[in-house]
C-alpha cells in the first residue's frame, strides 16, 4: 500500500505487534453498544411499520370482500391522480393483496427511510457534535469504526423490518412470496437512505442539517416518483423510492429493482467512507466562515432571535411547499388523461365531469399540503423546547425578556411561517393553473383554497404550543403523534369509510374541501378560536412552571 | 442595605430536595462568595433568584422585589453568567454579546471593546467553534459591559486559564469599586479569598457557614512552624494543639485560634529561633466542613446502593 520515492532510504517496516490496529478496530464493540442504545427505538420503528402493514391487510380484506368492491376501488384509485401521487404505481390492483401494497407502501417506506436516517445520524454526526466520538476515538477505535458500526446497525434494522413485514403480512393471510417482496421493498428503500445518510453526515457538520438534507432528498425523490407514476413514464426511475416500488409486490414480484437499491446503497456508503477520510473530526466538508463581530440592529429582541434561529428552516419549507404547489398544479392536467384511459373508471362513473375531478384532485392535494405545513409549524414550535432543554433559553430569560415574549416569538414564527408556506403553495398552484387553463380566476380560487387551511394548521401548531406550556417533557412525542394521526385520518378515513367522528378528530378535515366544495365560515371561525384557546392555555402554563434545568 | 435576602428556601425536584431551608444575605456593594461542592444547590439557588424556578417554601427577596413575580423588572438591573454557557451554534460570539446586552437593557460599546481586548476574545467566531472558556468569556463580556447594579455569576471562571482568571479578578475589583454588588458562586477557594468580602458556604441545600473571611478564620486553626533552642517538648499536652509533628529539628502543628496565645507563650519559653505562622485558608474551612462528608462517603460505600 505504501509508495516510496526512489531517493528515500528504505524504511524498516514496522514489526507486527500483537493486536494490530486498523481503521475499523473497535467496530464490533461500537456495534454492540449502538444496538444496546437503540434496542427500544428500533423495536418501535419496526413494530410500527409491521403493524401498519398488518392493519392495512386486515381492514382491506374485510373492506374489499367482493370482486365488485375491488373493481370499484380499482376504478376510483386508478383514475385518481392525487391518490397515485401519495401512494405509488397503480399496479396489481386486481387482488386485495395488491391493493394493500398500493395503500401502505409509501407510508412504510417513509418509516424505513426515517429509521435509517435517525439511526445512522445518532451514532455518527450527533455523537461527533456532542463530543462523544472524540472520547471514543481516543480509545482503541479506528477512524472508520463509528460510521461502519452505525451503517451496520441501520442495515440490520432495515433487514429486520423486511423480515418482520414479510412475516406479518403472511400471518394476515397474504401470499407469502409477495409479502416478503413487500417487506424487502421497504428494507431496500431503507438501505438506500442508510447510504444517503452516510454521505450526508460527512457533508455537513450539524445534526439538524443532516436531517434537513436527507428529509429534503426524500421529498424530492417522492415527488419524482409521483410525477413518474401519474404520467406513467421513465421519471419514476430517477427516484430510489420508485425503484423500491417497482418490485410490484403480489403482481410482478420483481427483485431486480431491489438489487439496484442495494448496489446504490453500498456505493453511497463507500462514498461516505471516502469523504470521511477527507475531513477532520467534528468538521463537515466545508469550514465554517467567520461571522459578524457585532450584531445587526435586527438582533435586539426575542422575536429577532427567533427569526434568526429559524429563518433557514422557514425558507426551506416555504420554497419546498411552493415547488410542491408547482408539481401538484402541473399534474392537474393528467387527471383528465388518467380518467380517459381507464375503462373501468368510465364504466363506474359514467361520463364524469372532468372539472369536478380536477377540483377533487386539487382539494386533496391542498389537504396534504396543509398537513406538511402543520408538520413545519410543529417543528418550529418545538424549537422553543430545544432552546429550553439545551439551556439556551436560560440566559435570555435572565434578561429583561418576559416568558410570554420569548415563547410568543417562537410561536409567531411558527404561525406566520406556516401561513406563508400555505400561501406559497396556493400561489404557485394558482399560477400553473392560470397558465394551463388561461382562466385568470383560477389564481384566486387556488390561493383561497390554500388559505382556508391556515386556521387548521394553526390548531395543530396550537396543540404543540399547549403541550410545551403544560407537558413540556412529552411535547415532542405527543405533537408528532398528533401530526401522524391527522395524516393517517386524511389519507385513510374516506377510503376506508371510517365513522364520521374519526375524521372529525383531525382539524384538517373540518376545512371545506375547496375548490370542490364552497367556502363555509363556521368551521374556520371555530378552528381559529380553538387555536387561540390552545395558545392561551400554553402561555398560562409556561408562566407558572419551572424552566427546565440541566 | 440588602441586595439579596433568602430565608428558609426549599426547592424540590420530585423526590430530590435540592434546597432544604437555605439562607443567604448579600449586602449592597459587596462581593459575596457563594461556596459549596458540586451538587450542593448553588445553581438551583441562583435560578430561584432569577425567577427561572419557583420556590416551594421560604422567603426570597432580590433588589427589593419578588424574583418570580417581578422577574422582568428585576432583570433590567442585573446581569447573569450561567455556570455552563451554551450559545447558539450558528451565531458569532460578538452577536451573542450584543443580543444578550440589548435584551438586558443595553451595553456600553466602549467597555465592550475594551473587555474583548482584555479577555482576548475573537468576536467573529461562530459559537460552535468556541471552547468552554471562550463561551464563558462571551457571557462574561456581555455581563461586565452592562451597567447592571447586581452581577450574578455562577462559577464564571471554571473554564478560564490562570491569565484570564487574573483579568477576571481585575474586572470584579473594578465592579466593586463602582459600588456594584456581586454574587459569585465558586468552588475555587483562592478566587473567593482574593475577591470576596463575605462568603456563605452551603452543603446539601443548607447554609452551614456565613460571614466575613475574618470571622470565619476564627472558626479554624493557624498552622505554625517553629525552630527552638531547646527541644520542643510539652506542646502535646496543651489544649487546642493538633497534628503535632517534629521534622528536621522543627516543630509543626495546627492550633485553634483561641489557644494560639498559650501555644506561643510555650514556644517562647523554649527559645524561638525561627517562626512562621500561616493563616487558615478557605481550603481548610472547606475541608473541615466537608471532611465529615468524605467520611460519610466512606461508610456509605460499604452499604448496599439502591437506586
Amino acid at each position: 500500500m505504501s509508495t516510496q520515492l526512489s531517493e528515500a532510504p528504505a524504511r524498516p517496516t514496522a514489526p507486527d505487534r500483537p493486536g494490530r490496529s486498523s481503521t475499523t478496530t473497535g467496530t464490533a464493540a461500537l456495534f454492540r453498544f449502538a444496538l444496546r442504545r437503540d434496542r427500544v427505538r428500533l423495536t418501535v420503528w419496526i413494530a410500527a411499520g409491521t403493524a401498519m402493514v398488518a392493519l392495512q391487510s386486515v381492514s382491506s380484506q374485510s373492506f374489499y370482500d367482493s370482486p365488485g368492491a375491488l373493481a370499484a376501488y380499482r376504478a376510483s384509485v386508478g383514475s385518481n391522480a392525487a391518490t397515485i401521487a401519495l401512494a405509488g404505481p397503480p399496479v396489481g390492483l386486481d387482488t386485495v393483496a395488491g391493493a394493500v401494497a398500493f395503500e401502505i407502501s409509501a407510508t412504510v417506506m417513509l418509516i424505513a427511510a426515517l429509521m435509517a436516517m435517525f439511526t445512522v445520524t445518532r451514532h455518527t454526526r450527533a455523537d461527533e457534535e456532542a463530543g462523544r466520538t472524540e472520547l471514543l476515538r481516543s480509545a482503541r477505535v479506528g477512524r472508520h469504526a463509528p460510521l461502519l458500526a452505525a451503517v451496520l446497525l441501520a442495515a440490520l434494522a432495515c433487514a429486520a423490518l423486511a423480515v418482520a413485514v414479510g412475516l406479518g403480512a403472511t400471518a394476515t393471510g397474504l401470499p407469502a412470496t409477495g409479502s416478503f417482496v413487500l417487506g424487502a421493498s421497504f428494507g431496500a428503500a431503507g438501505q438506500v437512505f442508510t447510504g444517503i445518510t452516510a454521505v450526508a453526515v460527512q457533508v455537513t457538520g450539524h445534526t439538524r442539517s443532516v436531517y434537513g438534507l436527507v428529509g429534503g432528498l426524500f421529498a424530492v425523490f417522492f415527488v419524482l416518483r409521483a410525477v413518474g407514476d401519474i404520467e406513467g413514464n421513465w421519471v419514476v426511475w430517477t427516484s430510489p423510492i420508485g425503484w423500491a416500488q417497482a418490485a410490484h409486490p403480489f403482481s410482478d414480484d420483481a427483485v431486480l429493482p431491489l438489487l439496484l437499491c442495494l448496489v446504490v446503497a453500498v456505493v453511497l456508503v463507500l462514498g461516505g467512507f471516502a469523504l470521511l477520510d477527507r475531513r477532520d473530526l467534528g468538521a463537515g466538508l466545508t469550514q465554517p466562515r467567520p461571522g459578524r463581530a457585532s450584531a445587526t440592529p435586527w438582533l435586539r429582541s426575542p422575536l429577532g432571535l427567533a427569526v434568526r434561529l429559524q429563518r433557514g428552516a422557514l425558507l426551506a419549507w416555504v420554497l419546498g411547499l411552493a415547488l410542491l404547489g408547482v408539481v401538484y398544479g402541473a399534474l392537474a392536467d393528467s387527471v383528465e388523461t388518467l380518467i380517459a384511459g381507464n375503462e373501468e373508471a368510465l364504466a363506474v362513473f359514467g361520463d364524469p365531469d372532468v372539472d369536478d375531478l380536477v377540483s377533487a384532485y386539487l382539494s386533496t392535494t391542498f389537504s396534504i399540503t396543509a398537513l406538511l405545513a402543520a408538520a413545519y409549524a410543529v417543528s418550529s414550535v418545538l424549537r422553543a423546547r430545544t432552546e429550553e432543554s439545551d439551556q439556551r433559553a436560560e440566559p435570555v430569560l435572565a434578561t429583561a425578556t418576559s416568558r410570554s415574549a420569548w415563547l410568543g416569538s417562537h410561536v409567531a414564527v411558527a404561525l406566520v411561517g406556516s401561513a406563508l408556506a400555505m400561501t406559497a403553495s396556493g400561489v404557485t398552484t394558482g399560477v400553473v393553473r392560470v397558465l394551463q387553463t388561461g382562466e385568470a380566476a383560477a389564481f384566486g380560487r387556488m390561493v383561497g383554497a390554500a388559505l382556508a387551511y391556515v386556521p387548521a394548521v394553526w390548531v395543530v401548531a396550537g396543540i404543540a404550543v399547549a403541550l410545551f406550556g403544560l407537558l413540556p417533557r412529552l411535547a415532542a412525542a405527543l405533537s408528532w403523534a398528533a401530526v401522524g394521526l391527522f395524516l393517517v385520518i386524511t389519507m385513510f378515513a374516506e377510503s376506508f369509510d371510517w365513522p364520521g367522528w374519526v375524521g372529525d378528530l383531525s382539524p384538517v378535515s373540518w376545512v371545506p374541501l375547496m375548490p370542490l366544495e364552497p367556502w363555509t365560515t363556521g368551521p374556520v371561525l371555530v378552528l381559529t378560536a380553538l387555536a387561540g384557546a390552545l395558545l392561551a392555555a400554553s402561555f398560562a402554563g409556561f408562566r407558572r412552571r419551572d424552566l427546565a434545568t440541566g | 442595605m440588602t441586595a439579596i435576602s433568602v430565608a428558609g428556601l426549599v426547592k424540590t425536584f420530585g423526590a430530590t430536595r435540592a434546597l432544604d431551608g437555605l439562607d443567604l444575605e448579600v449586602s449592597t456593594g459587596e462581593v459575596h462568595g457563594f461556596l459549596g461542592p458540586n451538587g450542593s444547590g448553588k445553581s438551583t439557588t441562583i435560578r430561584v433568584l432569577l425567577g427561572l424556578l419557583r420556590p416551594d417554601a421560604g422567603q426570597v427577596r432580590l433588589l427589593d422585589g419578588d424574583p418570580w413575580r417581578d422577574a422582568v423588572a428585576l432583570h433590567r438591573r442585573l446581569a447573569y453568567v450561567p455556570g455552563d454557557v451554551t450559545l447558539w451554534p450558528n451565531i458569532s460570539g460578538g452577536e451573542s454579546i450584543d443580543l444578550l446586552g440589548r435584551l438586558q437593557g443595553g451595553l456600553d460599546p466602549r467597555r465592550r471593546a475594551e473587555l474583548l481586548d482584555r479577555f482576548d476574545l475573537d468576536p467573529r467566531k461562530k459559537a460552535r467553534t468556541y471552547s468552554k472558556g471562550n463561551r464563558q468569556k462571551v457571557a462574561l463580556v456581555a455581563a461586565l459591559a452592562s451597567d447592571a447594579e447586581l452581577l450574578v455569576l455562577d462559577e464564571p471562571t471554571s473554564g478560564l486559564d490562570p491569565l484570564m482568571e487574573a483579568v477576571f479578578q481585575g474586572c470584579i475589583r473594578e465592579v466593586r469599586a463602582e459600588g456594584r454588588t456581586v454574587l459569585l458562586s465558586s468552588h475555587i477557594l483562592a478566587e473567593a479569598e482574593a475577591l470576596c468580602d463575605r462568603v456563605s458556604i452551603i452543603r446539601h441545600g443548607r447554609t452551614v457557614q456565613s460571614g466575613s473571611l475574618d470571622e470565619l478564620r476564627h472558626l479554624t486553626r493557624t498552622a505554625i512552624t517553629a525552630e527552638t533552642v531547646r527541644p520542643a517538648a510539652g506542646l502535646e499536652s496543651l489544649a487546642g494543639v493538633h497534628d503535632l509533628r517534629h521534622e528536621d529539628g522543627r516543630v509543626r502543628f495546627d492550633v485553634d485560634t483561641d489557644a494560639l496565645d498559650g501555644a506561643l507563650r510555650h514556644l517562647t519559653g523554649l527559645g524561638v529561633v525561627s517562626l512562621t505562622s500561616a493563616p487558615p485558608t478557605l481550603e481548610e474551612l472547606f475541608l473541615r466542613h466537608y471532611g465529615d462528608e468524605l467520611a460519610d462517603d466512606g461508610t456509605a460505600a460499604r452499604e448496599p446502593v439502591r437506586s
Side-chain angles (χ1 to χ4, degrees), chain B residues 123-175:
Chain B
R124 296 173 57 86
K125 280 189 160 181
K126 298 278 176 73
R128 76 167 80 255
T129 62
Y130 280 137
S131 64
K132 174 176 165 58
N134 279 334
R135 290 201 303 273
Q136 226 149 15
K137 288 181 193 173
V138 168
L140 276 170
V141 170
L144 292 167
S146 74
D147 55 2
E149 59 192 274
L150 170 65
L151 296 181
V152 179
L153 313 176
D154 191 358
E155 298 190 2
T157 61
S158 51
L160 298 188
D161 62 45
L163 220 60
M164 289 303 138
E165 167 81 39
V167 172
F168 168 75
Q169 292 193 7
C171 290
I172 295 302
R173 289 198 184 91
E174 289 164 25
V175 164

Side-chain angles (χ1 to χ4, degrees), chain A residues 197-257:
Chain A
T197 313
V199 172
V201 293
Q202 315 306 328
V203 173
T204 163
H206 326 301
T207 308
R208 197 185 290 275
S209 321
V210 172
Y211 294 155
L213 202 59
V214 179
L217 275 174
F218 185 92
V220 168
F221 288 142
F222 199 83
V223 168
L224 283 174
R225 68 128 282 280
V227 172
D229 283 334
I230 292 174
E231 304 281 348
N233 63 13
W234 56 270
V235 178
V236 77
W237 290 100
T238 58
S239 159
I241 304 169
W243 309 338
Q245 287 190 328
H248 299 164
F250 305 111
S251 54
D252 299 341
D253 285 335
V255 184
L256 222 54

Side-chain angles (χ1 to χ4, degrees), chain B residues 154-204:
Chain B
D154 191 358
E155 298 190 2
T157 61
S158 51
L160 298 188
D161 62 45
L163 220 60
M164 289 303 138
E165 167 81 39
V167 172
F168 168 75
Q169 292 193 7
C171 290
I172 295 302
R173 289 198 184 91
E174 289 164 25
V175 164
R176 185 172 55 178
E178 291 162 14
R180 302 201 262 167
T181 312
V182 179
L183 177 66
L184 174 66
S185 124
S186 183
H187 56 222
I188 303 171
L189 301 162
E191 177 179 284
E193 282 205 289
L195 291 176
C196 296
D197 303 302
R198 297 197 315 132
V199 299
S200 294
I201 301 180
I202 70 162
R203 182 179 62 163
H204 292 171

Side-chain angles (χ1 to χ4, degrees), chain B residues 231-239 241 244 246 251 262-263 266-267 270:
Chain B
L235 275 166
E236 58 273 15
S237 60
L238 291 178
V241 170
L244 182 72
H246 297 273
V251 62
H266 186 90
L267 282 178
L270 299 170

Side-chain angles (χ1 to χ4, degrees), chain B:
Chain B
M1 286 268 279
T2 316
I4 297 172
S5 164
V6 176
L9 176 60
V10 174
K11 178 70 195 173
T12 55
F13 297 107
T16 316
R17 212 170 165 83
L19 298 179
D20 188 15
L22 183 125
D23 305 310
L24 178 66
E25 288 282 331
V26 177
S27 310
T28 303
E30 75 173 358
V31 177
H32 193 100
F34 192 39
L35 308 175
N38 295 327
S40 56
K42 300 191 296 290
S43 296
T44 304
T45 308
I46 285 175
R47 287 177 176 136
V48 170
L49 289 173
L50 292 171
L52 301 172
L53 299 177
R54 199 184 347 222
D56 293 322
Q59 272 80 53
V60 185
R61 299 291 290 173
L62 177 95
L63 300 174
D64 288 323
D66 176 339
W68 180 264
R69 217 188 46 230
D70 313 325
V72 174
L74 293 175
H75 291 175
R76 283 184 216 287
R77 299 163 61 193
L78 64 82
Y80 168 54
V81 175
D84 193 0
V85 182
T86 47
L87 298 169
W88 301 276
N90 265 332
I91 293 182
S92 75
E95 288 176 294
S96 296
I97 291 170
D98 287 343
L99 172 71
L100 291 172
R102 287 167 182 175
L103 292 176
Q104 193 265 324
L107 41 73
D108 179 350
R110 222 180 36 217
R111 188 141 59 179
R112 175 188 185 275
E114 182 212 318
L115 285 163
L116 282 176
D117 191 45
R118 280 168 78 178
F119 278 108
D120 193 23
L121 179 71
D122 178 358
R124 296 173 57 86
K125 280 189 160 181
K126 298 278 176 73
R128 76 167 80 255
T129 62
Y130 280 137
S131 64
K132 174 176 165 58
N134 279 334
R135 290 201 303 273
Q136 226 149 15
K137 288 181 193 173
V138 168
L140 276 170
V141 170
L144 292 167
S146 74
D147 55 2
E149 59 192 274
L150 170 65
L151 296 181
V152 179
L153 313 176
D154 191 358
E155 298 190 2
T157 61
S158 51
L160 298 188
D161 62 45
L163 220 60
M164 289 303 138
E165 167 81 39
V167 172
F168 168 75
Q169 292 193 7
C171 290
I172 295 302
R173 289 198 184 91
E174 289 164 25
V175 164
R176 185 172 55 178
E178 291 162 14
R180 302 201 262 167
T181 312
V182 179
L183 177 66
L184 174 66
S185 124
S186 183
H187 56 222
I188 303 171
L189 301 162
E191 177 179 284
E193 282 205 289
L195 291 176
C196 296
D197 303 302
R198 297 197 315 132
V199 299
S200 294
I201 301 180
I202 70 162
R203 182 179 62 163
H204 292 171
R206 278 173 191 271
T207 312
V208 292
Q209 203 69 253
S210 191
S212 70
L213 286 174
D214 285 343
E215 283 165 6
L216 292 182
R217 282 189 184 118
H218 281 292
L219 299 170
T220 188
R221 300 160 186 166
T222 305
I224 305 275
T225 307
E227 200 178 340
T228 48
V229 179
R230 284 180 293 284
L235 275 166
E236 58 273 15
S237 60
L238 291 178
V241 170
H242 309 272
D243 298 332
L244 182 72
R245 20 197 215 287
H246 297 273
E247 292 165 5
D248 310 331
R250 288 158 197 253
V251 62
R252 292 168 191 271
F253 58 91
D254 295 339
V255 58
D256 290 344
T257 306
D258 51 8
L260 187 59
D261 188 52
L264 288 182
R265 283 173 196 282
H266 186 90
L267 282 178
T268 42
L270 299 170
V272 175
V273 177
S274 75
L275 178 87
T276 48
S277 91
T281 61
L282 211 42
E283 200 84 45
E284 288 162 324
L285 268 181
F286 219 72
L287 281 173
R288 274 186 66 191
H289 281 295
Y290 297 112
D292 55 339
E293 189 171 80
L294 293 175
D296 284 351
D297 284 352
T299 52
R302 269 176 252 124
E303 288 167 6
V305 179
R306 271 173 298 171
S307 64

